Amino acid sequence: MGAAYDEARRRSLSEPGDFWGEAAGLIDWVTEPTQVLDDSRPPFYRWFPDGELNTCANALDRHVAARRGDRIALIHDSAVTGKVTTFTYAELLDRVARCAGVLRSLGVEKGDRVVIYMPLVPEAAIAMLACARLGAPHSVVFGGFAPAELAARIDDAEPKVIVSASCGIEGTRVVEYKPLLDEALELTAHRPHTCVILQRPQAAAPLGPLDVDWAQVMDAAEPVGPVTVGATDPLYVLYTSGTTGKPKGIVRDNGGHAVAMAWSLPNVYGIGPDDVWWAASDVGWVVGHSYIVYAPLITGCTTVMYEGKPVGTPDAGAFWRVVEQHGVNGLFTAPTAIRAIKKDDPQGALIAERDLSSLRTLFQAGERLDPDTFAWASEHLGVPVVDNWWQTETGWPMASSMRGLDPLPLKPGSPSVRVPGFDVRVVDEHGHEVPAGTEGNIVVRLPLPPGTLPTLWGDDQRYVEAYLSAFPGYYSTGDGGYLDDDGYLYVMGRTDDVINVAGHRLSTGSMEAVVSTHPMVAECAVIGVHDQIKGQVPRAFVVLKAGTQADPGALQAEIVEMVRDRIGPVAALRQVAVVPALPKTRSGKILRRTMRGIADGRDEPVPSTIEDPGVLEALAPLLRGDP
Ligand code: COA
Ligand code: AMP
């Protein structure tokens, strides 16, 4: 293995205080931390406990103070409106300081929460940074979620203010956000004081008594300076899907996060202050938080925010136009986007048309990078295609080739090596480490490094139960896989009921909760099945109540609509099969894992506790998709 990588990994694990203490030098502190890691209360760990800082000041003010105010901070490229808008660091700082003034005038102070429900517009990043400036944790909710999901997050985060927009644009379709927000607020127990609404010309929204107009309040706003916060104070809460319907509020602190962002962009992604970086994701996901907003701005480089899809509007060459036009040096996207592009442009003709000489690396994450997509992208782009594995909880990569620190050889099918700071191991069901080449549960030995979740919002107990109880002393990732003899990790998929649809993380449990409310449904199981473009898609199997007759087409349409209405279009449930029975254990537990295995074509052992093997045998052809 490379010497620099080996040394960083060794030091990060055996001398974490020195290693992360040095990395803390990448950040401007108001009060330098005297302690690196507080491990006095396991399994809760706190990084830089007595440090004080402001994350927004690290992302903006310090670059302006260092005479880099004229550098382009943010390029918003909107394929759906045909507009490109740029902000220098000085301009972005001005907008953010005034947005912070708006929020403060609406009563937002340090510690108050702000929910942001917006399409991918610069104002979303401005609102996030304005919250960081005030020390007010933001909670961004992805626009593809339905009112009920938004409402659940509002009730958990209890925001004083909500920032939203009149509409988003999906391809050529205008999605009105304001009615969705209003509907969500009909469902919540919690009432925010005010909603700040960005009016977009594609669909202006009528404003109600709770609402103020973004442009008007920004015009009248006084800029405010950064508020000093403790390193362990929360910067944001980002909800993610778990195995149950209730989303988990992942907490991110200020200090550890800023250090992890400042360390990871150059070391993992090989991107420095003079580069142009593009994470083609959405601020509603962790990739958007870490690598559209915080890491590139803390590093001082240019970040591209692209509003549009990789295909369709205008065509499968959209990404390559953006790379050429803005001179992108590093592009980060999900394999699903590359598969969608490959489907429309299999020969890479639209790639060949462009001058992509600026591009050094394509990064892939969010789901497994299949070897075909790896090979296609490598061949047509002619740059290293680097898989990296992480999750909302960790905030930054746990496994990747370290492009800046020590670019080791790549292996198709593997997100490469364990990133320094993450003591990733593979264990069996008893928590014993398994030999190289043997599949098991992927876990990380505690403490997790800076920038990872310290707990769940308002729920220490759920944090411990969900992540730390299965294998004491370890954080359980929920993923399964193996390490090879060279220490390369292979991530094979989730071991729980979380699925990944087009790079979007969803809970089949929450879909089951919706499907089971259909009046004709006695019981159901939703599992993720393979899809050529989206990686996985949900598929529902329903058993009807005794004596019920249903037209399968009409029933499918109703169930699809219910899931879309309650969870959102992003759930993408399209397939519903009516079956006579579901395979269960004798104690009544549905054998979802066995169903998943058969659907994926694996030789899945049938548990000895199965109640009636005949039910599974009858279902198998349907699961396998036999004609
Ligand atoms: N607001 C409102 N609706 C949204 C939305 C948003 N922010 N995002 C998605 N939707 C809707 C879509 O319009 C679509 O609606 P439809 O069913 O009426 O067509 C539905 O949710 C499903 O969207 P999606 O899963 O994105 O499918 P798609 O067919 O529109 O696009 C891909 C497929 C692969 C091109 C697209 O999913 C993609 O680019 N994925 C990459 C995701 C990513 O970057 N993830 C971050 C991890 S790095
Ligand atoms: P999210 O929290 O939305 O980022 O989703 C995290 C989950 O996506 C992980 O637990 C994995 O199941 C999956 N995932 C993310 N990146 C990869 C990758 N590079 N390879 C395989 N699976 C991945």
Side-chain angles (χ1 to χ4, degrees), residues 290-302:
S290 294
Y291 295 109
I292 295 178
V293 180
Y294 287 111
L297 296 178
I298 287 173
T299 303
C301 68
T302 298

Side-chain angles (χ1 to χ4, degrees), residues 543 579-584 610-621 623:
V543 178
V579 296
L582 291 168
K584 290 183 188 164
I610 190 164
E611 186 189 29
D612 178 356
V615 172
L616 189 62
E617 278 160 31
L619 194 60
L623 286 166

Side-chain angles (χ1 to χ4, degrees), residues 15 77 122 136 185 371 393 400 441 448-449 467 501 589 596 610:
E15 302 154 18
D77 186 311
L185 291 175
E393 288 84 344
S400 178
N441 303 287
L448 295 173
Y467 300 105
V501 181
K589 199 171 163 292
R596 267 199 328 253
I610 190 164

Side-chain angles (χ1 to χ4, degrees), residues 159-349:
K160 211 171 224 179
V161 168
I162 296 179
V163 183
S164 188
S166 57
C167 68
I169 305 155
E170 281 291 296
T172 52
R173 185 166 59 98
V174 173
V175 179
E176 294 194 34
Y177 275 44
K178 184 59 173 43
L180 302 176
L181 172 61
D182 290 342
E183 209 180 313
L185 291 175
E186 297 280 309
L187 302 171
T188 55
H190 174 79
R191 297 292 290 165
H193 291 188
T194 313
C195 299
V196 181
I197 308 295
L198 174 76
Q199 295 283 19
R200 301 189 81 189
Q202 292 76 15
L207 300 187
L210 222 56
D211 308 322
V212 296
D213 179 300
W214 169 286
Q216 274 177 16
V217 285
M218 279 290 274
D219 275 351
E222 288 293 325
V224 305
V227 172
T228 299
V229 298
T232 61
D233 285 341
L235 170 69
Y236 68 76
V237 182
L238 177 59
Y239 289 88
T240 191
S241 302
T243 45
T244 66
K246 190 175 181 288
K248 297 191 272 200
I250 306 301
V251 176
R252 197 81 62 210
D253 67 10
N254 274 275
H257 172 256
V259 172
M261 294 297 99
W263 191 85
S264 63
L265 198 65
N267 285 290
V268 179
Y269 297 103
I271 293 293
D274 296 327
D275 286 324
V276 177
W277 165 253
W278 174 23
S281 180
D282 188 284
V283 287
W285 306 112
V286 69
V287 175
H289 281 64
S290 294
Y291 295 109
I292 295 178
V293 180
Y294 287 111
L297 296 178
I298 287 173
T299 303
C301 68
T302 298
T303 182
V304 177
M305 191 186 232
Y306 174 72
E307 189 185 19
K309 301 256 173 192
V311 291
T313 311
D315 60 24
F319 271 26
W320 320 125
R321 192 270 302 161
V322 174
V323 170
E324 180 184 74
Q325 187 169 336
H326 305 303
V328 170
N329 304 117
L331 166 60
F332 181 135
T333 185
T336 187
I338 301 296
R339 287 194 298 267
I341 292 171
K342 177 181 161 207
K343 179 164 169 266
D344 284 7
D345 181 22
Q347 305 308 324

Side-chain angles (χ1 to χ4, degrees), residues 366-368 387-392 479 491 494 500 505:
E367 50 165 327
R368 182 166 180 269
D387 187 4
N388 54 121
W389 167 71
W390 48 297
Q391 26 182 229
T392 308
D479 282 318
V491 181
R494 299 285 305 192
N500 233 294
R505 175 164 158 185

Side-chain angles (χ1 to χ4, degrees), residues 402-432:
M402 306 291 299
R403 303 315 291 172
L405 178 71
D406 195 351
L408 299 168
L410 302 169
K411 295 191 191 186
S414 167
S416 297
V417 294
R418 292 165 285 184
V419 169
F422 288 97
D423 193 357
V424 177
R425 318 262 179 118
V426 179
V427 300
D428 64 16
E429 71 269 34
H430 308 296
H432 300 136

Side-chain angles (χ1 to χ4, degrees), residues 3 44 58 137 142 177-178 204 209 218 220 243 316 379 398 405 407 446 457 470 493 543 560 575 584 609 626:
F44 298 94
N58 274 281
F142 179 61
Y177 275 44
K178 184 59 173 43
M218 279 290 274
T243 45
E379 180 195 335
M398 290 184 277
L405 178 71
L446 296 174
W457 181 250
V543 178
V560 164
Q575 306 171 44
K584 290 183 188 164
T609 52
D626 291 350

